[in-house]
Amino acid sequence: MEDNSITDRIASPMTNPQPNEIVTVRPDTDTMTRQRLPYFVGISAATAGSQGISMNLVVIPPASSAEPHFHRDYETAIYLIEGRVETRYGEGLKQSIINEAGDFIFIPPGVPHQPFNLSATTPARALVARNDPNEQENVVLYDPNANRAT
């Protein structure tokens, strides 16, 4: 006898998942984000009906970076799958950390940051999870020079 309370299916933004279903998302195209990085949208309110989480694959092209930004009111957890990335962060983006494939990274809400792919030839890829199912709506672009004294 088949249990109909759990159904595996492919979701798309047009799908209206039910709360008792398991949803599989297989993104086949990327979406440009406010941070100006290509995302493969995985789990979100739109694709899976999630209410408190999103998870996406982000790609930082070779020798490229995101726009400086912060995430209003939600946490970000990142697993760097491939590459080396320098992230400048904090007020004026004056602090810096370098992460490599295999690193887990946590970014608290409201912390300005800007990741840079350190490779001139290979894209950096990371799995990004956030406790906001509509995470792009709460991305705020950040001007690192706005609060500096001239």
Side-chain angles (χ1 to χ4, degrees):
M1 184 169 153
E2 184 177 316
D3 180 1
N4 291 326
S5 65
I6 299 177
T7 305
D8 185 27
R9 64 188 175 111
I10 307 302
S12 68
M14 302 306 286
T15 305
N16 186 17
Q18 299 301 310
N20 61 345
E21 293 182 279
I22 291 177
V23 177
T24 300
V25 179
R26 291 190 187 127
D28 56 0
T29 59
D30 63 10
T31 302
M32 189 58 67
T33 63
R34 289 183 185 166
Q35 302 96 302
R36 310 249 331 125
L37 290 177
Y39 261 33
F40 290 86
V41 177
I43 305 304
S44 70
T47 62
S50 64
Q51 296 179 15
I53 193 169
S54 64
M55 186 169 61
N56 307 292
L57 176 67
V58 65
V59 177
I60 306 174
S64 296
S65 67
E67 292 292 322
H69 65 281
F70 64 90
H71 307 282
R72 182 177 34 235
D73 302 327
Y74 62 86
E75 299 172 324
T76 302
I78 300 168
Y79 177 73
L80 190 55
I81 298 167
E82 178 182 19
R84 289 184 74 233
V85 175
E86 176 185 12
T87 302
R88 297 176 191 155
Y89 67 98
E91 185 177 335
L93 303 177
K94 295 177 188 173
Q95 299 176 66
S96 175
I97 188 167
I98 294 177
N99 292 103
E100 300 179 350
D103 287 351
F104 288 89
I105 305 154
F106 174 72
I107 303 174
V111 174
H113 57 282
Q114 181 179 29
F116 292 83
N117 182 348
L118 295 175
S119 173
T121 59
T122 306
R125 300 181 199 290
L127 186 64
V128 180
R130 299 189 170 110
N131 61 334
D132 184 338
N134 301 302
E135 50 87 13
Q136 280 296 297
E137 293 175 13
N138 289 316
V139 170
V140 179
L141 295 180
Y142 173 74
D143 180 354
N145 299 311
N147 294 328
R148 291 186 183 180
T150 55

